[in-house]
């Protein structure tokens, strides 16, 4: 038997590191909703995790000027000095955190920051504590890096927040990291200084455990909520905390693919080793090395150092939409929506819908069934809690127009009323 025949007969076998990772539920629902739209169905998609605002003009201008200056070549491995300086100033100005330039890293989105951090630090079987509901990528990235996600259910009774007793119960000698995300995707829950304190006190007792905080939605907080970040609150943890952030959500720059982090220099150095063999440097609209990386970085400098007033206006607009969605959902019998402190998502309980029967005679057994029903019957695409590790819930992204949200809520209410 020739080698070629063997390969042909065997077919493609995925590596074991991705064997348990499927295509994300969010992408599957999005693909189905888009296919329905192409078939002429009036589908409203409330699944996207990106602001509906445009990238601010002064940011676009900065990108254009960078192109005209000829800044279209590879850049320094983990960020241009100009961008690292802007990030350094941002951390100091907004978070009271002082990082040196070699304690800052820039990557192709916060997603790659997480990936670099896990690749650089996890050995097979190392445990990573992830409170649920969690942003879907956390657990997949940990698994790709051969780590073991340890999921802790944090339901609505604790405001979808991790508590110190649950955290301590989950820590073992193999725990490498704890992930915290505030405000959270998908729950919108945020940790105040008082919410963080018991967790940080607990972590002080376990010096082998590192803390990864994802502050991606820092600027999108409501009702005067005071955003804080753990390394600022507890300086004794700074030497084992990676503070992750990015321009995607606050500055409506999801396609520019720039994320950053501040952390201990040895970790930052190891993350640069991973990045050097993955993308060479932070890039633009794709993960290819040939992208005009410097352009996205120049734009991000403008985002972080330019006017910040528009953030308040945009957040006020998100808050109006949050109020519209929360009150609309809570007006529907058997749905239960907690008021989120930030981000642009609601995460509603749908336990009251389980056991109900659709007009076509199908029993709703899970939150995924409920979401499938809303898509089929109401033509509204939302994402089941199962995609975020906590059921029975569903996530709505309200980063869309008030008119569309109003229409979607009316359709959801009518579809729920048709259940028996
Ligand atoms: C909580 C959270 N962290 C990180 C990211 C990734 O952001 P980026 O676009 O910078 O990769 C997302 C994107 O949805 C997110 O929701």
């Amino acid at each position: 038997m020739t080698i070629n025949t063997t390969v042909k007969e065997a077919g493609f076998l995925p590596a074991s590191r991705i064997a348990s990772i499927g295509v994300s539920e969010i992408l599957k629902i999005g693909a189905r909703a888009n296919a329905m739209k192409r078939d002429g169905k009036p589908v409203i998609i409330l699944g996207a995790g990106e602001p509906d605002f445009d990238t601010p003009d002064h940011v676009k201008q900065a990108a254009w000027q960078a192109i005209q200056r000829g800044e279209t070549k590879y850049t320094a491995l983990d960020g241009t000095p100009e961008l690292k300086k802007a990030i350094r100033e941002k951390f100091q100005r907004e978070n009271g955190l002082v990082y040196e330039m070699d304690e800052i890293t820039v990557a192709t989105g916060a997603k790659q920051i997480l990936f670099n951090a896990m690749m650089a630090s996890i050995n097979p079987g190392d445990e990573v504590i992830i409170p649920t509901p969690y942003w879907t990528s956390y657990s997949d990235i940990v698994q790709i890096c051969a780590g073991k996600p340890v999921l802790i259910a944090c339901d609505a009774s604790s405001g979808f927040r991790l508590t110190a007793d649950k955290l301590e119960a989950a820590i073992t000698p193999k725990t490498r990291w704890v992930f915290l995300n505030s405000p959270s995707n998908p729950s919108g829950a945020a940790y105040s200084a008082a919410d963080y304190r018991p967790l940080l006190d607990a972590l002080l007792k376990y010096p082998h455990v590192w803390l990864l905080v994802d502050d991606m939605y820092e600027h999108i907080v409501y009702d005067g909520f005071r955003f804080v970040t753990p390394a600022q609150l507890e300086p004794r943890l700074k030497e084992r905390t990676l503070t992750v952030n990015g321009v995607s959500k606050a500055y409506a720059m999801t396609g520019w693919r720039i994320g950053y982090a501040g952390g201990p220099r040895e970790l930052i150095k190891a993350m640069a080793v991973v990045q050097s063999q993955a993308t060479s440097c932070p890039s633009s609209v794709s993960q290819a090395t040939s992208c005009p990386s410097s352009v996205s970085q120049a734009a991000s400098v403008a985002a972080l150092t330019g006017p910040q007033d528009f953030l308040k206006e945009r957040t006020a607009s998100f808050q109006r939409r949050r109020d519209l969605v929360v009150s609309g959902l809570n007006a529907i019998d058997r749905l239960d929506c907690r008021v989120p402190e930030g981000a642009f998502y609601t995460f509603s309980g749908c336990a009251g819908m389980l056991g109900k029967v659709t007009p076509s005679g199908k029993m709703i057994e899970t939150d995924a069934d409920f979401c499938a029903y809303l898509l089929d019957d109401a033509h509204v695409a939302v994402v089941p809690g199962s995609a975020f590790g906590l059921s029975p819930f569903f996530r709505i992204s309200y980063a869309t127009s008030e008119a569309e949200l109003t229409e979607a809520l009316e359709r959801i209410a009518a579809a729920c009323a048709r259940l028996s």
Side-chain angles (χ1 to χ4, degrees), residues 319-330:
Q319 181 161 340
R320 278 195 304 279
R321 299 186 241 177
R322 176 202 66 169
D323 294 343
L324 176 77
V325 172
V326 171
S327 63
L329 289 170
N330 281 331

Side-chain angles (χ1 to χ4, degrees), residues 72-91:
T72 54
K73 303 284 167 55
Y74 293 135
T75 70
L77 172 56
D78 65 350
T80 60
E82 293 78 16
L83 181 51
K84 284 194 174 188
K85 183 168 168 282
I87 292 166
R88 186 170 189 262
E89 286 165 8
K90 177 263 179 260
F91 274 132

Side-chain angles (χ1 to χ4, degrees), residues 5-322:
T5 319
T6 310
V7 169
K8 201 171 164 206
E9 281 173 1
F12 173 72
L13 280 178
S16 55
R17 75 174 73 86
I18 63 152
S20 62
I21 299 167
V23 174
S24 118
E25 195 64 31
I26 304 179
L27 292 184
K28 276 196 238 162
I29 290 168
R32 216 174 132 231
N34 279 315
M36 286 169 73
K37 255 188 156 171
R38 279 195 299 277
D39 287 346
K41 305 241 165 63
V43 179
I44 298 177
I45 301 179
L46 304 180
E50 60 184 353
D52 56 334
F53 296 114
D54 197 7
T55 302
D57 272 343
H58 69 278
V59 174
K60 291 184 191 167
Q61 284 303 325
W64 179 231
Q65 284 157 12
I67 293 171
Q68 287 180 313
R69 282 195 304 270
E71 290 177 22
T72 54
K73 303 284 167 55
Y74 293 135
T75 70
L77 172 56
D78 65 350
T80 60
E82 293 78 16
L83 181 51
K84 284 194 174 188
K85 183 168 168 282
I87 292 166
R88 186 170 189 262
E89 286 165 8
K90 177 263 179 260
F91 274 132
Q92 219 160 348
R93 179 181 74 238
E94 296 181 347
N95 310 115
L97 283 173
V98 179
Y99 288 112
E100 298 306 324
M101 295 286 269
D102 60 356
E103 294 176 310
I104 289 169
T105 186
V106 183
T108 307
K111 187 178 264 185
Q112 198 196 1
I113 292 278
L114 297 174
F115 188 79
N116 289 348
M118 294 304 107
M119 278 300 262
S121 63
I122 288 189
N123 286 313
D126 282 354
E127 294 173 4
V128 176
I129 295 175
I130 304 173
T132 76
Y134 58 83
W135 178 46
T136 48
S137 293
Y138 290 161
S139 129
D140 289 349
I141 289 174
V142 167
Q143 287 185 73
I144 288 174
C145 298
K148 182 176 163 214
V150 176
L151 306 179
I152 309 182
C154 302
D155 60 21
S157 65
S158 61
F160 298 117
R161 295 185 195 94
L162 180 62
T163 55
D165 52 337
K166 281 190 180 174
L167 169 62
E168 289 203 60
I171 292 176
T172 74
K174 291 189 121 189
T175 307
R176 195 72 210 270
W177 288 94
V178 177
F179 282 14
L180 293 175
N181 171 214
S182 167
S184 148
N185 175 7
S187 71
Y191 290 77
S192 66
D195 296 322
Y196 268 136
R197 179 43 53 197
L199 295 173
L200 305 184
D201 286 344
L203 283 172
L204 284 171
K205 294 188 241 166
Y206 302 93
H208 69 291
V209 178
W210 284 51
L211 178 58
L212 186 148
V213 291
D214 182 342
D215 292 344
M216 178 54 72
Y217 295 90
E218 164 178 12
H219 290 290
I220 308 174
V221 288
Y222 310 123
D223 304 319
F225 181 90
R226 201 171 161 263
F227 174 86
V228 280
T229 193
Q232 160 194 27
L233 280 177
E234 184 42 85
R236 285 174 292 175
L237 286 178
K238 185 168 173 255
E239 63 191 28
R240 51 187 165 106
T241 297
L242 186 68
T243 303
V244 180
N245 212 317
V247 294
S248 284
K249 313 288 172 164
Y251 301 97
M253 292 175 67
T254 45
W256 299 74
R257 310 307 304 127
I258 295 290
Y260 59 86
R265 68 173 51 83
E266 290 310 316
L267 170 63
I268 297 293
K269 218 160 89 184
M271 287 167 65
V273 172
V274 178
Q275 179 147 300
S276 71
Q277 298 310 338
T279 61
S280 288
C281 52
S283 69
S284 179
V285 289
S286 81
Q287 304 230 350
T289 53
S290 53
C291 283
S293 60
S294 47
V295 175
S296 285
Q297 293 184 72
S300 301
V301 172
L304 292 173
T305 58
Q308 306 288 313
D309 312 350
F310 70 94
L311 294 176
K312 272 204 190 103
E313 283 160 36
R314 290 184 172 190
T315 298
S317 160
F318 277 135
Q319 181 161 340
R320 278 195 304 279
R321 299 186 241 177
R322 176 202 66 169

